Amino acid sequence: MRWLAFLAAVGLTTSISVAQAQDRPPDACVHAPTIVTVADFLLTEPVTKPNFWRDRAGDDAAYLKIRYGGMTYAEGSELLASLEKRSHPPQRILELKLAYAKSADRAAMLAEISPQPSIGSVVPLLGESAWRALAVEDGGDWLLGELKRWKAANPERFDQSPIHRQLPVAIIDLDDETKTKLANRAEEAGLAMLAYNLYATKQDLSDLVGFIDRNPASGNGTPAELRESSIRFALTLADLLPALDMTKQPPEIQAVDAKRGYKTMMQPFWPLVRQFPPATMLLTVLNQTGERRIGTELAAEMLTEIDAERLDPVNRPDAVFAAMVARLDKVLGPETRMKQLASFRSVAAGEQNETAAAVVDRAIARLALAPFVLGTTDEAPARPASLTKEFPWDQWGSVAKTVHDGAASGEGDRLVAAELLIGADRAAEALALLQADADWQPAQRRAHALLHDLDRRCGGLLRHPAPFSETLYRFGPR
């Protein structure tokens, strides 16, 4: 079977966009009322929709409104149905609806979906959250059956589907027994690529070796070279596991892992991004500069500081930004760092139209001005040297004085005032300014980022179990 070449074509990348879910119900969190209010703001459509506008925040908002608002199943279903009827529904509304539905309702919904003619299956339209629900809540019967049918009907499009890798990533947090059962059934159904990736996400990789024994790869190279390549590909998934113990793996796995020269450079990023998602920008800088110390020193040092609780990415993210920039300046120099961060867009929630440099600038400014805004000091600080020359520090300082004095912010200053209030941990006041701002789209983007920030401080419900992945919608009994 020629599945190794297919791995090389579609299996090497994972999609990019903290706190562990708590035992208490989400609506018990102190920030729950603010989260629901932010969600309501994001679910309010503009009277006049901008050209080319797409609702990139409504799905996250609806999900958290259901979870933190303590909505009943009927109430949540009604909310999602109303959103789907909009002229501009949230982009992932189908995925959210399917993930939220009970099994019988989900089956009825699936029966009504028509695949695009060129695809031949509805599976690619559903999204990771729905795939997870189908595999976990519904036992995987429909999903595996549809994948088997799709493979027989349209093998080329089937082989190109990202589900082979993304489904295992979507359930990467589940126990080995669950993954083993699903992998065994996938293999029995002839879904070799899916089975292979499921085995690769287990804490015990012994079954992965057995799979490779049963399904030797073919292609260019000796059998030994192809076998080693198969294990290397699998380890790119295993790297995403929160706590894989390599010392407990089969000797053959350990031997291949020991040959991966880039591992020391890359390994700190996975847990770092899991705890501080904005650290994804470091990988872009590493890719553009080739500076290995960004991984071996910078990322490793930051991870150590976070693990030792000297940095708090959940409650004090701006301080983590500042620490990241200081270390990046040490490795690259301030001028190179500024040019690098200005050369690409951030991928974080609410920041679709901003460079990484702009995101970092705002964090540094918020951190510097927070004591003045809070009134713990009566003097505004000097401009931080780590800010780029383009950053409007004078405006921010002026607005900070307005907030410090308790005065009302002017029309053009509300977004800045909201940023300062967020940095001072006064989210409810910041939201009030965002709601009143006439510049609707930037206000919505900032509110979307605030929604993610507050969720991380509560249940971390938007957090995907694997780093470098977009938000995942999960529900308990309903």
Side-chain angles (χ1 to χ4, degrees):
M1 179 171 45
R2 298 181 62 84
W3 53 271
L4 186 60
F6 169 63
L7 270 171
V10 302
L12 280 173
T13 59
T14 303
S15 58
I16 300 295
S17 161
V18 195
Q20 294 288 342
Q22 314 239 341
D23 292 334
R24 62 184 181 179
D27 56 4
C29 177
V30 66
H31 299 293
T34 305
I35 289 174
V36 173
T37 305
V38 177
D40 285 336
F41 173 53
L42 291 170
L43 290 171
T44 302
E45 288 191 295
V47 176
T48 303
K49 297 178 180 62
N51 291 333
F52 310 111
W53 175 64
R54 296 291 181 271
D55 184 355
R56 295 185 175 92
D59 29 43
D60 287 352
Y63 171 64
L64 292 190
K65 181 177 174 65
I66 292 170
R67 298 294 307 272
Y68 286 102
M71 301 179 77
T72 65
Y73 179 67
E75 291 169 338
S77 298
E78 184 179 355
L79 170 64
L80 299 182
S82 68
L83 293 175
E84 190 176 37
K85 294 176 183 176
R86 289 181 171 181
S87 61
H88 291 66
Q91 289 190 318
R92 297 171 64 194
I93 188 63
L94 175 62
E95 177 183 354
L96 178 55
K97 275 190 64 181
L98 287 167
Y100 183 56
K102 294 179 181 179
S103 292
D105 294 337
R106 186 159 42 240
M109 292 177 188
L110 289 170
E112 295 177 355
I113 302 173
S114 299
Q116 296 176 4
S118 62
I119 295 177
S121 173
V122 301
V123 170
L125 307 176
L126 308 184
E128 283 190 40
S129 306
W131 296 340
R132 179 183 171 109
L134 286 162
V136 178
E137 295 182 22
D138 299 352
D141 292 341
W142 179 90
L143 183 60
L144 292 175
E146 174 60 15
L147 290 175
K148 185 176 181 180
R149 184 205 65 77
W150 184 24
K151 179 180 179 180
N154 194 343
E156 183 176 355
R157 291 306 298 264
F158 173 81
D159 286 346
Q160 295 171 355
S161 172
I163 192 173
H164 304 290
R165 191 169 181 93
Q166 289 181 356
L167 173 57
V169 170
I171 62 171
I172 201 169
D173 57 320
L174 301 185
D175 59 88
D176 273 10
E177 182 180 1
T178 299
K179 296 172 188 174
T180 299
K181 289 179 179 178
L182 189 60
N184 288 344
R185 292 174 61 195
E187 191 173 356
E188 290 169 2
L191 306 173
M193 284 307 314
L194 178 59
Y196 165 85
N197 284 316
L198 285 165
Y199 289 132
T201 60
K202 293 179 56 181
Q203 294 287 344
D204 180 357
L205 298 177
S206 299
D207 283 343
L208 173 67
V209 176
F211 173 87
I212 295 173
D213 289 339
R214 295 187 298 275
N215 300 273
S218 60
N220 295 325
T222 67
E225 290 171 339
L226 291 170
R227 186 178 179 87
E228 181 174 324
S229 294
S230 298
I231 295 174
R232 282 181 179 270
F233 279 122
L235 289 176
T236 65
L237 257 184
D239 283 337
L240 302 178
L241 289 162
L244 180 69
D245 188 345
M246 188 54 64
T247 65
K248 296 181 179 180
Q249 305 310 320
E252 184 180 17
I253 298 289
Q254 294 187 46
V256 174
D257 182 67
K259 294 180 182 180
R260 297 196 297 161
Y262 58 86
K263 183 177 179 179
T264 303
M265 177 180 67
M266 297 301 296
Q267 195 169 32
F269 283 111
W270 318 140
L272 176 60
V273 171
R274 185 177 287 110
Q275 297 182 75
F276 185 58
T280 54
M281 63 181 65
L282 292 175
L283 279 168
T284 302
V285 177
L286 170 60
N287 183 58
Q288 293 183 168
T289 63
E291 178 50 77
R292 295 174 59 90
R293 289 181 296 163
I294 294 173
T296 57
E297 296 179 13
L298 193 164
E301 289 172 5
M302 286 187 64
L303 184 60
T304 297
E305 293 290 292
I306 291 171
D307 289 344
E309 300 184 353
R310 290 188 288 270
L311 289 174
D312 184 352
V314 174
N315 298 298
R316 298 197 69 226
D318 289 345
V320 183
F321 268 114
M324 182 178 73
V325 167
R327 286 172 169 79
L328 203 50
D329 285 351
K330 182 179 178 182
V331 173
L332 298 177
E335 183 177 352
T336 300
R337 180 264 301 175
M338 292 178 186
K339 288 181 179 179
Q340 283 294 318
L341 294 181
S343 68
F344 61 91
R345 300 285 179 183
S346 171
V347 296
E351 298 166 358
Q352 299 96 335
N353 296 319
E354 294 183 298
T355 65
V359 174
V360 166
D361 273 348
R362 288 206 320 275
I364 292 170
R366 286 193 303 260
L367 182 66
L369 290 164
F372 183 53
V373 170
L374 287 167
T376 56
T377 178
D378 290 328
E379 291 189 14
R383 179 189 180 100
S386 52
L387 288 175
T388 63
K389 63 181 180 180
E390 293 83 8
F391 185 78
W393 175 256
D394 290 343
Q395 180 196 11
W396 277 58
S398 176
V399 177
K401 187 177 188 311
T402 300
V403 178
H404 171 86
D405 295 342
S409 300
E411 179 65 38
D413 292 331
R414 285 186 184 141
L415 282 174
V416 174
E419 289 282 359
L420 292 168
L421 288 167
I422 290 170
D425 203 14
R426 290 158 59 179
E429 295 173 67
L431 177 61
L433 290 176
L434 294 174
Q435 290 171 317
D437 198 278
D439 202 354
W440 177 82
Q441 283 184 291
Q444 281 245 327
R445 286 196 295 269
R446 192 61 195 93
H448 190 203
L450 175 61
L451 189 74
H452 278 248
D453 291 342
L454 292 173
D455 173 55
R456 280 194 288 271
R457 299 181 70 173
C458 288
L461 303 181
L462 288 170
R463 182 183 60 89
H464 196 290
F468 308 107
S469 301
E470 64 183 357
T471 54
L472 193 68
Y473 306 129
R474 293 161 287 185
F475 298 93
R478 53 199 181 281

